[in-house]
């Protein structure tokens, strides 16, 4: 990640982790922090699951996890993996045979805790399948399902217990000479999750998968995830993340990207800076931003756009964005390009006009990028 010499207060120093691959997506090291989500369809329904994977990929998901609790879902996984535009992680709890089937079906990664799948022979079989099929593994420790002996030792789920659980699972994989793993220590409590993640970040150089589990609905879960994941990312911890919401997986991806965008860790698509609006607004800011968000969803090129109700903050925000619109009065506003006043635009067809400007700018940037490559 490039550091900002002019504004050092913006710099985030990422923890140094080793890199693994989840299919063709690098996780850890200097790879961009990847965004994941998980399907909530019946995994044995290939069409419904694939549709959801594709929709998530369209809004930017780098990796998608699919739960594979039974044989019919690992059977369906073969076609899902073959058709998916992004690597698929198979989510497995306890059943080692599902892990082997998922690896054979083309999963790029297995989410499985080696300490939970039974005896040494079973662990060896799963590790062999992962090695044979080029799968990585995510060890997923969860405060809600800690091993009984750790709960007895520590009295309740706590950061030390979560780190110890993670290290126990890591040791099992390392004993089998397997290092293509990443690790998560999730909790629904942000304090517990943040402390556990800080602990594991110090204890290992494995790439870290961030998540606040069972975070809640769209609004409450977004806030909780932004606080929990935002703090950790700000400290430089985290190589991939999933925002867990009781909502459409597409929303999880959008929220994940917004958290990364807010910290300048990743950019994708149009970042709209808009004011909350008040009596001074020269046009309906809220309705305009809602429509622009929808109509610009297809843009993948990072572009900043300021939509500001009046001249109190409009020119200042426009200075820092690629394209800006500031409400003025008498049914029109000012369009800014690269921070400079460019032309007047009537409010009546301003949305069409801005969409056109953004699409044009995106095409220019993409053409420049292609020429440079
Ligand atoms: S920029 Fe203008 S319209 Fe927007 S909130 Fe501020 S004063 Fe109100």
């Amino acid at each position: 990640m490039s550091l900002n010499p002019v504004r050092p207060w913006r710099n985030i120093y990422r923890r140094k982790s080793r890199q693994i691959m989840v299919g063709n997506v690098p996780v850890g090291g200097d790879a961009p922090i990847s965004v994941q989500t998980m399907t909530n369809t019946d995994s044995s329904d290939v069409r419904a699951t694939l549709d959801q994977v594709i929709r998530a990929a369209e809004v930017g998901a780098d990796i998608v996890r699919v739960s594979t609790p039974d044989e019919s879902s690992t059977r369906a996984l073969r076609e899902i993996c073959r058709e998916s535009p992004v690597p698929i992680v198979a989510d497995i709890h306890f059943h080692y045979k599902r892990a082997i089937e998922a690896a054979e079906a083309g999963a790029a990664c297995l989410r499985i805790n080696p300490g939970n799948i039974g005896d040494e022979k079973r662990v060896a079989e799963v590790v062999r399948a992962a090695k044979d099929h080029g799968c990585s593994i995510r060890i997923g420790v969860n405060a809600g399902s800690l091993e009984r002996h750790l709960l007895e030792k520590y009295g309740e789920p706590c950061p030390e217990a979560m780190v110890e659980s993670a290290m126990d699972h890591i040791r099992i994989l390392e004993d089998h000479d397997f290092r293509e793993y990443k690790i998560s220590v999730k909790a629904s409590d942000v304090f517990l999750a943040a402390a556990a993640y800080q602990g594991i970040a110090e204890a290992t150089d494995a790439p870290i998968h961030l998540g606040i589990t069972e975070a809640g609905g769209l609004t409450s879960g977004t806030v909780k995830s932004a606080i929990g994941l935002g703090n950790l990312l700000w400290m430089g911890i985290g190589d991939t993340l999933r925002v867990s919401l009781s909502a459409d997986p597409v929303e999880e991806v959008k929220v994940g990207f917004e958290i990364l965008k807010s910290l300048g860790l990743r950019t994708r698509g149009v970042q709209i800076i808009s004011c909350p609006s008040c009596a001074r607004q020269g046009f309906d800011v809220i309705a305009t931003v809602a429509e622009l968000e929808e109509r610009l969803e297809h843009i993948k090129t990072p572009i900043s756009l300021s939509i500001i109700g009046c001249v109190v903050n409009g020119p200042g925000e426009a200075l820092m964005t690629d394209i800006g619109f500031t409400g003025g009065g008498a049914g029109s506003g000012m369009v800014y390009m690269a921070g400079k006043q460019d032309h007047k635009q009537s409010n009546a067809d301003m949305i069409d006009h801005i969409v056109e400007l953004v699409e044009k700018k995106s095409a220019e940037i993409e053409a420049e990028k292609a020429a440079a490559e």
Side-chain angles (χ1 to χ4, degrees):
M1 187 194 121
S2 60
L3 295 175
N4 187 331
V6 182
R7 301 182 187 93
W9 35 269
R10 292 185 65 108
N11 288 336
I12 290 177
Y13 298 90
R14 261 179 89 182
R15 160 185 172 266
K16 286 194 181 9
S17 59
R18 66 192 152 79
Q19 192 171 88
I20 66 159
M21 296 300 290
V22 175
N24 59 359
V25 175
V27 175
D30 57 1
I33 297 168
S34 45
V35 176
Q36 311 198 19
T37 185
M38 185 169 180
T39 54
N40 56 22
T41 50
D42 172 358
S43 306
S44 55
D45 184 338
V46 174
R47 198 59 262 162
T49 306
L50 254 179
D51 283 349
Q52 210 172 54
V53 171
I54 291 167
R55 282 200 303 123
E58 275 168 358
V59 294
D62 302 291
I63 298 166
V64 176
R65 181 156 49 115
V66 173
S67 186
T68 51
D70 48 30
E71 267 187 89
S72 75
S73 51
T74 49
R75 259 198 309 275
L77 198 66
R78 192 171 293 276
E79 196 176 338
I80 294 168
C81 292
R82 198 173 54 229
E83 301 292 325
S84 169
V86 292
I88 297 292
V89 179
D91 191 84
I92 294 130
H93 288 262
F94 311 118
H95 296 288
Y96 82 108
K97 280 210 165 118
R98 300 294 89 77
I100 296 168
E101 289 158 10
E104 289 168 353
C109 179
L110 308 173
R111 189 275 190 189
I112 192 166
N113 290 348
N116 297 350
I117 53 179
D119 62 24
E120 177 63 18
K121 203 167 142 267
R122 291 181 174 186
V123 175
E125 275 187 60
V126 170
V127 170
R128 162 81 19 233
K131 283 183 180 170
D132 286 352
H133 297 278
C135 285
S136 46
I137 289 179
R138 167 158 69 98
I139 294 168
V141 171
N142 196 313
S145 54
L146 277 172
E147 292 81 5
R148 187 174 307 167
H149 73 277
L150 290 173
L151 286 176
E152 277 164 12
K153 177 175 171 186
Y154 290 97
E156 62 171 10
C158 62
E160 293 78 12
M162 292 171 71
V163 172
E164 187 169 331
S165 171
M167 295 309 289
D168 288 346
H169 293 299
I170 285 177
R171 208 164 301 119
I172 295 172
L173 290 183
E174 299 254 352
D175 285 349
H176 285 83
D177 197 25
F178 189 87
R179 298 205 80 215
E180 286 291 298
Y181 59 83
K182 58 194 169 97
I183 182 107
S184 62
V185 282
K186 297 188 182 185
S188 59
D189 176 273
V190 286
F191 295 100
L192 179 53
Y197 272 112
Q198 287 174 76
I200 199 68
E202 278 184 21
T204 165
D205 68 347
I208 287 181
H209 168 117
L210 292 182
I212 301 296
T213 194
E214 290 117 26
L218 184 54
T219 304
S220 54
T222 296
V223 172
K224 212 171 178 186
S225 298
I227 292 171
L229 306 190
N231 254 307
L232 289 162
L233 290 163
W234 205 325
M235 285 182 227
I237 296 170
D239 301 288
T240 182
L241 62 86
R242 181 218 174 173
V243 173
S244 302
L245 300 175
S246 306
D248 190 324
V250 161
E251 301 299 335
E252 295 190 348
V253 179
K254 288 184 183 171
V255 172
F257 261 99
E258 289 306 325
I259 293 172
L260 293 177
K261 279 190 207 170
S262 302
L263 291 168
L265 286 165
R266 244 185 118 176
T267 49
R268 182 190 193 275
V270 183
Q271 186 170 20
I272 301 184
I273 315 289
S274 59
C275 75
S277 80
C278 71
R280 285 183 200 272
Q281 64 183 346
F283 62 99
D284 187 341
V285 175
I286 293 175
T288 303
V289 169
E291 193 174 338
L292 281 171
E293 275 182 347
E294 209 185 305
R295 289 188 53 187
L296 294 172
E297 221 175 59
H298 64 292
I299 303 284
K300 297 188 173 73
T301 320
I303 291 176
S304 53
L305 171 67
S306 52
I307 302 293
I308 309 290
C310 80
V311 292
V312 170
N313 286 324
E317 290 296 347
L319 265 181
M320 295 179 275
T321 49
D322 298 312
I323 299 170
F325 182 84
T326 297
S332 69
M334 179 59 69
V335 174
Y336 293 75
M337 299 299 289
K340 294 198 177 65
Q341 279 196 13
D342 200 81
H343 56 274
K344 263 189 155 182
Q345 170 63 41
S346 78
N347 291 349
D349 45 10
M350 152 289 211
I351 293 181
D352 286 346
H353 182 66
I354 302 262
V355 169
E356 217 173 279
L357 286 176
V358 172
E359 284 174 343
K360 198 166 150 239
K361 179 87 194 156
S362 156
E364 274 168 25
I365 294 173
E366 292 305 323
E368 276 169 26
K369 224 163 61 186
E373 277 165 13

